[in-house]
Every structure is written in structure tokens, then in C-alpha cells.
Amino acid sequence: MSTATLAAQAPDYIRRISPYVGGKPIDELARELGLDPSTIVKLASNENPRGPSPRAVAAVAQAAAEITRYPDGNAYALKQALAARLGVEAGQIVLGNGSNDVLELITHAFLRVGDEAVYAEHAFAVYAMATQARGASGVVVPARDYGHDLAAMLAAVTPRTRVLFVANPNNPTGTWITPEALERFIAAVPANVVVVLDEAYNEYLEAAQQAHATQWIARHPNLVVSRSFSKAYGLAALRIGYGVMDPAVAELVNRVRQPFNVNALAQAAALAALADTGYVEESRRLNRDGLAQLGAGLARLGVAALPSHGNFVLVKVGDAMKVYGALLRQGVIVRPVANYGLPEWLRVTVGLPQENERFLGALATALRT
Ligand SMILES: Cc1ncc(COP(=O)(O)O)c(C=O)c1O
């Protein structure tokens, strides 16, 4: 059987999935353009530009001595620390190989072929991918002012809906929903629909804006809150995130989780990063200043941008692929978002001050060409 014929054996809902397109790696651009990688600025994957917490790096070095052993599949120490921090039971936490894994596990546990999952237009791409991979249908609710239209999302729920995704803040638009509006919404969703509240960028919100949604689970057992160590905690390469949910939901989700889905180095690093509250605080401050720097620079260039609550900003440049290419040629990597239905926009991660400046200068040049 030819490989093409073999591929045709896969379910059509798998063959219809559009592959995820990530940010271009620095080394790839360096190879393509013959550039020194150290001269390239990557603002394409919403990574923490500060580098990891030294405490996390030290924890990885120490844990490296034990890599002949399987990790603790139940991540006892990390779950205890997270439970204490969040005021939940350890049994409410499911760890993931990145929070993407948690999103997938939820679809694995709850979606059958023919079910529906509801999410917003311009919402994070993995909701669609994870839904399609189960043979379920994604119901895409048109955005309102680039953000989630919660009333319309509620109206989109049908008897076939099993899962509903909300990203707060949302990637790539940076839009944000107030805690009050969010809880009102969750209370209105039928109790048999799992609401996944994706808070990958939660730590970038100011304290007064943060929802403390993990505390709502006692009132709304259909709520799952997912968080990431890839962003403000600076551990993207290690792939670790978590979901907080009702213990009965966690018990179910753990059945479809690979026993050792989170490796030992990631667990050790996350435990250390969680304790380094100063690092997260400084990351939030740097991000706030960087957003202001980018906002002011873009305004000077007369370029429109959406107000953002994440560690990135969506910038309207017109012919985005042309501008993207012109930025690449100057050694600056950002992210095109046509696959999010935003062909005139580029998403730019907040970098260090000098990286933001470099982007602004390169953008000015790119827009002249
Ligand atoms: C909204 C949102 N959710 C989840 C993720 C997944 O992050 P990770 O799997 O690295 O935890 C991302 C990553 O970009 C994101 O933007």
C-alpha cells in the first residue's frame, strides 16, 4: 500500500486538521539568512524574554542526576505546592506536558465523534485542533471587538455541546474579560458542559484583574482552569502546565493522561519557579513597561494595535506577510496570524527593552519598503 493510500485510511476529521504553525526558530532563520543567531530577535512565541529563573535552572541541574529514573507520575511535591498556593486539594490538579496537553486531555475525556465544542473566533488555535482530533465539531462564535462575545457563546450551546473554551486573556488578540462577567457567564452555562477557562497569561494581569477562578470550581464543578509554566514562569522548553478541576473530573481526566506525561526536570523546575515569586513579579513589571514602550512606539509610527492584557500585542500592518518577510530579513521574528482570521495583523511578543526598540526600528524600515 502506498503511503498516500495509507494516509487515506485515517479518519477524514484527522485529515482535515490544519497543522499548528509555531513561531520560526532562531536557528532556522540564522541558517536561511546566514546570520549570527545572537543577532536575531525572536518575538514570536510569547516566551519570557528574561530567561528562566536561576532557581529553576539550579533545580534542573540537580534533578539531572536522577534522569535514569522515571518521574513521579503523580507529581506529589509540585501538586502539594500548587494546591497550597491556589487553596485547592492536590486531587483537583492534573499536570500536563504544557497546558496544551491539559486542553487535549479534556477533549479526550469529554468529546465523542459528533459532539460539539464552542469557542470564539480568533481564539487560541489548539481548541480547534483538539476538538477536530476527537471527530467533534468546533462551533466558532464570531468575535466582538476582537474578544469573546459571551452572550453569543452561551446562545451557541446546544444539547450536543460538551466542552466550551474561553481564553482569558486571549491569544492572539490580548483581550480580557472581567472576573465578574466571567463568573456570571460560567454560572449560566448548562452544568453538563465543561467550561475550560484557559489562563495561560493570568500572571501578566495586575493583581486586581486576576479572577481567582480556581476558587469558583467548588460552586461550578463543570469548570476547568488551565494554567501554564511557559509564559511568566519562563519554562516554555520544558513543557509543563496544569489544570485545576473538580476531583471527580480530575480522576476521569487522569485516566486518559499518559502516566509520565510531565518529565522530572520540568517538575523540579516548576516547583522552584513557583517559589520564586520575585521572578514572576519582575516579569509582570517588565511586561507592563514593554507594552507601554511598544504602544508608544507604534503610535509614533501611526500603526494601530489592540490594547493587550497578555505578553504580546496585535499590530495592524496591512499586508502582514510582506511586513513579516521584511522584518525577517532584518533578523526580527514575529508571528503572522492569518490562520486566526487576522491576515492584516502581526502578533509581537513583548521583549526586553532593547528588543522592543529593535522591533520598532525594523518595523519602521519594513513599512517604508
Ligand atoms: C491561550 C494559550 N493557551 C495555552 C497555551 C499553551 O501553552 P503551553 O502548552 O506552553 O503551556 C498557549 C501558548 O501559546 C496560549 O497562548
Side-chain angles (χ1 to χ4, degrees):
M1 189 182 269
S2 76
T3 49
T5 324
L6 193 58
Q9 304 303 307
D12 51 347
Y13 56 81
I14 298 292
R15 284 183 280 129
R16 276 200 301 266
I17 295 175
S18 319
Y20 183 81
V21 185
K24 194 177 192 62
I26 289 177
D27 285 344
E28 185 178 302
L29 183 64
R31 275 196 307 276
E32 285 171 5
L33 297 187
L35 293 175
D36 173 355
S38 68
T39 65
I40 293 174
V41 169
K42 183 184 175 212
L43 302 174
S45 301
N46 299 346
E47 295 147 340
N48 192 322
R50 299 177 60 216
S53 153
R55 291 208 221 168
V57 175
V60 168
Q62 202 180 356
E66 291 293 328
I67 59 173
T68 51
R69 306 246 177 243
Y70 281 97
D72 176 357
N74 199 31
Y76 177 82
L78 180 57
K79 281 191 189 174
Q80 291 297 322
L82 280 169
R85 172 69 59 88
L86 301 170
V88 299
E89 298 298 320
Q92 291 185 253
I93 299 168
V94 175
L95 287 175
N97 193 256
S99 59
N100 272 346
D101 192 24
V102 176
L103 303 174
E104 282 212 5
L105 290 171
I106 297 296
T107 61
H108 206 42
F110 287 98
L111 290 180
R112 303 169 197 79
V113 172
D115 285 345
E116 290 175 355
V118 172
Y119 41 83
E121 181 190 19
H122 313 316
F124 184 46
V126 166
Y127 310 153
M129 297 181 77
T131 298
Q132 288 172 282
R134 312 310 316 161
S137 305
V139 176
V140 183
V141 177
R144 187 166 166 197
D145 298 331
Y146 296 95
H148 293 51
D149 182 341
L150 294 182
M153 289 181 77
L154 202 54
V157 171
T158 75
R160 287 165 66 199
T161 309
R162 291 283 166 272
V163 178
L164 186 151
F165 291 97
V166 174
N168 200 43
N170 183 47
N171 169 27
T173 56
T175 50
W176 171 70
I177 305 160
T178 65
E180 296 72 31
L182 204 50
E183 199 188 358
R184 259 197 317 276
F185 171 75
I186 291 163
V189 174
N192 65 334
V193 174
V194 176
V195 179
V196 181
L197 175 59
D198 178 349
E199 295 191 327
Y201 301 95
N202 180 63
E203 295 80 7
Y204 285 111
L205 294 171
E206 299 303 327
Q209 297 174 319
Q210 294 184 6
H212 305 292
T214 54
Q215 293 301 312
W216 301 347
I217 295 165
R219 294 195 288 279
H220 310 292
N222 58 330
L223 173 62
V224 172
V225 179
S226 70
R227 301 253 179 94
S228 177
F229 279 101
S230 302
K231 312 296 176 184
Y233 287 99
L235 301 179
L238 288 174
R239 312 304 303 124
I240 179 161
Y242 61 94
V244 187
M245 57 204 84
D246 182 85
V249 177
E251 200 274 326
L252 193 70
V253 173
N254 272 320
R255 295 187 201 191
V256 290
R257 181 178 65 82
Q258 284 189 34
F260 305 109
N261 63 330
V262 177
N263 73 73
L265 304 183
Q267 290 184 32
L271 190 59
L274 192 66
D276 194 351
T277 49
Y279 173 88
V280 175
E281 190 55 48
E282 178 59 20
S283 298
R284 183 183 305 127
R285 195 194 59 72
L286 185 83
N287 188 63
R288 188 197 310 134
D289 293 352
L291 281 174
Q293 179 190 5
L294 287 171
L298 291 165
R300 269 197 306 278
L301 293 175
V303 174
L306 291 186
S308 175
H309 290 87
N311 66 339
F312 52 87
V313 61
L314 201 58
V315 180
K316 193 168 191 183
V317 293
D319 186 345
M321 286 318 284
K322 180 164 167 254
V323 176
Y324 172 67
L327 289 170
L328 283 182
R329 286 192 292 281
Q330 298 175 78
V332 175
I333 312 173
V334 297
R335 187 75 154 265
V337 283
N339 57 330
Y340 284 93
L342 297 161
E344 294 186 284
W345 301 75
L346 292 172
R347 192 194 67 193
V348 183
T349 302
V350 176
L352 298 171
Q354 61 274 24
E355 294 175 323
N356 299 333
E357 222 35 65
R358 178 83 186 275
F359 159 72
L360 290 166
L363 181 63
T365 305
L367 291 174
R368 278 197 301 272
T369 54

